[in-house]
Amino acid sequence: MNSPSTRDAARCIQDCLTCFRTCLAAAMNFCLEAGGRHIAPVHIRLMTGCADVCRTTAAYLLSSTPFYEELCRACAAVCEACAADCDSVGKMDDCAEACRRCAESCRQMVAEEVGQTAEPMPA
Amino acid sequence: MNSPSTRDAARCIQDCLTCFRTCLAAAMNFCLEAGGRHIAPVHIRLMTGCADVCRTTAAYLLSSTPFYEELCRACAAVCEACAADCDSVGKMDDCAEACRRCAESCRQMVAEEVGQTAEPMPA
Amino acid sequence: MNSPSTRDAARCIQDCLTCFRTCLAAAMNFCLEAGGRHIAPVHIRLMTGCADVCRTTAAYLLSSTPFYEELCRACAAVCEACAADCDSVGKMDDCAEACRRCAESCRQMVAEEVGQTAEPMPA
Amino acid sequence: MNSPSTRDAARCIQDCLTCFRTCLAAAMNFCLEAGGRHIAPVHIRLMTGCADVCRTTAAYLLSSTPFYEELCRACAAVCEACAADCDSVGKMDDCAEACRRCAESCRQMVAEEVGQTAEPMPA
């Protein structure tokens, strides 16, 4: 089928917007002020990039824009990597959790599209 | 290799930003005022969604953010579809051309990553 | 004082993000499909512009970015105008309400800054 | 008058997009890697906030969205402050120049609106 269930899309929008605000606020407040590993260039880039793709994916879903699956796929990949980097950097559990939840919702949107239900897509 | 050539990235950033401004201006000025097929919901959604993913892809490349290939892949798919829709709606040649050029640059960024040169990626 | 109270900033972020999603979803789904006065160019532009400035204002507040008051001031003006246009177009009560609530929160952030409490700022 | 001259709007759009890409690329590449004063939280916030408001202002102008003057006013304030901070941090001449040029174009858009010509608006 080509459109996601309304309920799953609503959950994915919510998870994307929560991840957007969690990553952006953590990067620009906690990480910049903590210094050390928290300001490794790749960590800051992953955090702000994660916020950006989450925002865009939410906008696609909110707008019923075609190819939202492509955005969900990209969003899931970035969120998963951001969560892993947060674990590695440490003291970023809230952010890692928001990223993992968003990745899971995005994968669910992609899986649905091909008639499956909750199988994680291959990375 | 993991990073794109500087020259190809610069071209892709330029093509993404040109497509962003061309799609956004055309949708919000020409299309809204022309009416008819130009304001079919799917056409407006593709045009504004294309502007949005182009902007985000440009931001990833400008920021050296990891997973830029995922954004390039999504961007190429949306741009290609937007170009086809512009052809179908008519009188949107500039927009279709900006979309096709951007799709090609994005595909080039993805192809490079796996060590190929200019093969179009599979859809 | 130069920083807003944490509680007021949190409310403003929430109201901005709610207005972002309400305006974007209404413009791109209900309005585009309803046609008539709902697709008057100025109405669509106000709705999508309102979503955009709300998103940016939320990002400033989430990031503790200086000059957030300037964004709040611009956001309040756009939200107020969008609410009035929604009233005039009709059948857009949810959107008008989200815009008015966001305008009020943004004005509160500006008023605080100059040591006042809840006076609406001059237009 | 209520609409800017086409020529001035085109220049402002160009200057906003140049400032967007210059600030974003400098913050996320040069500054994050240089460390020291370049990663002071307020500097990174000004740089990324400047990129964000420039992007939004460009979108308003590209879309003929009402209240573009409010965005231009906010954009000019942020750009001016970002330029001053770049001067203070040092080795950021390209960024400071892009910010000053954008601030000037934005002020021009606001000045026009009230029938003046090139007077800088009061801060």
Side-chain angles (χ1 to χ4, degrees), chain B:
Chain B
M1 84 185 156
N2 287 317
S3 350
S5 78
T6 303
R7 197 177 64 181
D8 287 346
R11 194 184 76 154
C12 194
I13 291 164
Q14 187 59 56
D15 291 343
C16 283
L17 290 178
T18 298
C19 194
F20 160 75
R21 58 191 291 176
T22 305
C23 284
L24 185 60
M28 301 301 283
N29 293 285
F30 176 70
C31 293
L32 287 182
E33 281 157 20
R37 303 169 69 174
H38 287 91
I39 49 167
V42 77
H43 181 61
I44 298 292
R45 288 171 192 152
L46 271 172
M47 296 282 283
T48 55
C50 190
D52 207 4
V53 74
C54 285
R55 181 197 71 72
T56 307
T57 302
Y60 265 62
L61 292 169
L62 286 163
S63 307
S64 310
T65 299
F67 296 92
Y68 69 86
E69 307 93 333
E70 305 291 326
L71 271 294
C72 285
R73 209 183 303 270
C75 193
V78 175
C79 284
E80 202 62 68
C82 191
D85 200 58
C86 283
D87 287 346
S88 156
V89 164
K91 295 192 187 167
M92 303 214 60
D93 292 348
D94 289 353
C95 196
E97 187 188 330
C99 290
R100 290 216 166 84
R101 190 184 304 262
C102 187
E104 174 58 26
S105 289
C106 284
R107 280 192 297 257
Q108 178 69 31
M109 298 300 289
V110 177
E112 256 182 32
E113 175 210 1
V114 292
Q116 296 162 4
T117 50
E119 295 280 307
M121 67 175 196

Side-chain angles (χ1 to χ4, degrees), chain A residues 36-97:
Chain A
R37 303 169 69 176
H38 288 91
I39 49 167
V42 76
H43 181 61
I44 298 292
R45 288 171 191 150
L46 271 172
M47 295 282 284
T48 56
C50 190
D52 207 4
V53 72
C54 285
R55 181 200 71 72
T56 308
T57 302
Y60 265 64
L61 292 169
L62 285 163
S63 305
S64 309
T65 299
F67 296 92
Y68 67 87
E69 306 93 333
E70 305 291 328
L71 271 294
C72 286
R73 208 183 304 268
C75 194
V78 176
C79 285
E80 202 62 68
C82 192
D85 200 58
C86 284
D87 287 346
S88 155
V89 165
K91 294 192 187 166
M92 303 213 60
D93 293 349
D94 288 354
C95 196
E97 186 187 331

Side-chain angles (χ1 to χ4, degrees), chain D residues 74-88:
Chain D
C75 193
V78 176
C79 285
E80 203 62 69
C82 191
D85 200 57
C86 284
D87 287 346
S88 156

Side-chain angles (χ1 to χ4, degrees), chain C residues 84-107:
Chain C
D85 200 59
C86 283
D87 287 346
S88 155
V89 164
K91 295 191 186 168
M92 303 213 59
D93 293 349
D94 289 353
C95 195
E97 187 188 331
C99 290
R100 290 215 165 84
R101 189 185 304 263
C102 186
E104 174 58 25
S105 289
C106 284
R107 279 193 298 257

Side-chain angles (χ1 to χ4, degrees), chain C residues 17-36:
Chain C
L17 290 179
T18 298
C19 194
F20 160 74
R21 58 191 291 177
T22 306
C23 284
L24 185 60
M28 302 300 283
N29 293 285
F30 175 70
C31 292
L32 287 182
E33 281 157 20

